[in-house]
Amino acid sequence: MLANYLIGLREGLEASLVVVILVAYLVRSDRRRLIPRIWAGVAVAVGVSMAFGALLTFGPRGLSFEAQEAISGSLSIVAVGFVTWMVFWMARSARGLSSELRGRIDRAADGGRASLVVVAMLAVGREGLETALFLWAATQAATRTTQGTTSAEGPLAGAALGILTAVGLGYLIYRGVLRLNLSKFFTWTGAFLILIAAGVVAYGVHDLQEARILPGVNNLAFDVSGTIAPTSWLGTLLKGTLNFSPATTWLEAAVWVAYVVPVMFWFFRRIRQNNAPATPTAPAVPASASSAG
């Protein structure tokens, strides 16, 4: 529940900030009459995202165990790819997001009636589809028990609470009541998302092993089930936040390390580059002045 709450909070706040920027710019540019088109685009994006989540949840039912594991493992790895791209994109583009969206609004306002609807739908829909896919993968990874069953009520409730919190924060930011240090917020939630994603990709590899697509399902790197029982409070906490499995195969462990180490390194390197002060450039010296000496 905690991990999915943070996923919903971060992804929901990104989408909320997009909506806040779009609406605030229309208000400040005295184009309030166009705001309903923004909300229409947001509604379409939310509907498409919910339909996508329902397809992920109910689509594989009725298939064989191996087919379900193959689909689940493949989509988990795809979800990690999307969320990794999203984390780096936000780290790189956060400063210029507002001006980029304002430029899109200006171009759309001069276009047809549906242009603003499409702008809002694409801006929010991208976040919504990525969130639906990653929440589905994280929920599958966090709720799978040793008997192969799932209980998704807690993770889904956490995701819903996170999204509702994000909507509330977005409204407070729009009203000027709340000011967040968005740089620090996205930095530390991004780092935590990388740890969650590492667990999801390891879970995806394990699913592909159970589907007999990848080898080594019985070759364990370690098994601490006797010390950390999967049903204990510690096992539940580690599983729910970091997707830690007490019985981990060598391939799962190798993939986890191979993902976390380089991705975390490049993420914090990108953050340091973005936060570094700009180096002042020396004024150019005219050729005549340089030759005068």
Side-chain angles (χ1 to χ4, degrees), residues 51-292:
F52 182 56
L55 178 64
L56 292 173
T57 302
F58 301 109
R61 293 188 178 181
L63 300 177
S64 65
F65 173 77
E66 287 79 8
Q68 290 188 33
E69 296 299 288
I71 292 174
S72 177
S74 301
L75 288 178
S76 295
I77 294 173
V78 170
V80 169
F82 275 121
V83 79
T84 304
W85 172 84
M86 177 271 300
V87 167
F88 278 91
W89 177 83
M90 180 56 70
R92 182 180 67 254
S93 306
R95 290 185 176 181
L97 181 62
S98 180
S99 59
E100 177 185 346
L101 289 174
R102 290 198 297 266
R104 291 185 186 180
I105 285 181
D106 289 335
R107 291 190 296 270
D110 296 333
R113 181 177 295 272
S115 298
L116 272 179
V117 176
V118 173
V119 167
M121 180 184 68
L122 293 178
V124 177
R126 179 186 61 189
E127 302 289 344
L129 292 176
E130 290 175 356
T131 303
L133 180 57
F134 193 59
L135 282 175
W136 175 84
T139 298
Q140 292 292 309
T143 59
R144 184 64 58 89
T145 66
T146 55
Q147 289 77 28
T149 59
T150 59
S151 177
E153 289 82 1
L156 291 179
L161 288 174
I163 293 172
L164 289 175
T165 303
V167 172
L169 291 176
Y171 176 76
L172 293 178
I173 292 173
Y174 174 75
R175 301 299 298 179
V177 176
L178 179 66
R179 292 185 180 274
L180 290 178
N181 188 326
L182 295 177
S183 176
K184 289 185 177 180
F185 175 84
F186 285 123
T187 296
W188 294 111
T189 56
F192 189 72
L193 273 187
I194 290 172
L195 292 177
I196 296 175
V200 171
V201 75
Y203 162 82
V205 166
H206 183 76
D207 269 1
L208 294 178
Q209 288 179 311
E210 290 190 336
R212 301 180 182 178
I213 295 175
L214 295 177
V217 68
N218 295 317
N219 297 329
L220 297 181
F222 58 85
D223 186 353
V224 294
S225 301
T227 304
I228 305 176
T231 56
S232 66
W233 70 269
L234 181 58
T236 302
L237 177 64
L238 293 175
K239 182 68 174 176
T241 54
L242 301 177
N243 291 310
F244 171 78
S245 175
T248 298
T249 67
W250 280 107
L251 188 55
E252 286 180 81
V255 167
W256 192 94
V257 174
Y259 175 84
V260 165
V261 173
V263 172
M264 196 71 77
F265 171 79
W266 285 107
F267 174 70
F268 278 104
R269 182 175 179 176
R270 169 65 67 179
I271 294 298
R272 287 195 298 270
Q273 290 175 345
N274 290 347
N275 293 335
T279 303
T281 57
V285 179
S288 58
S290 60
S291 60

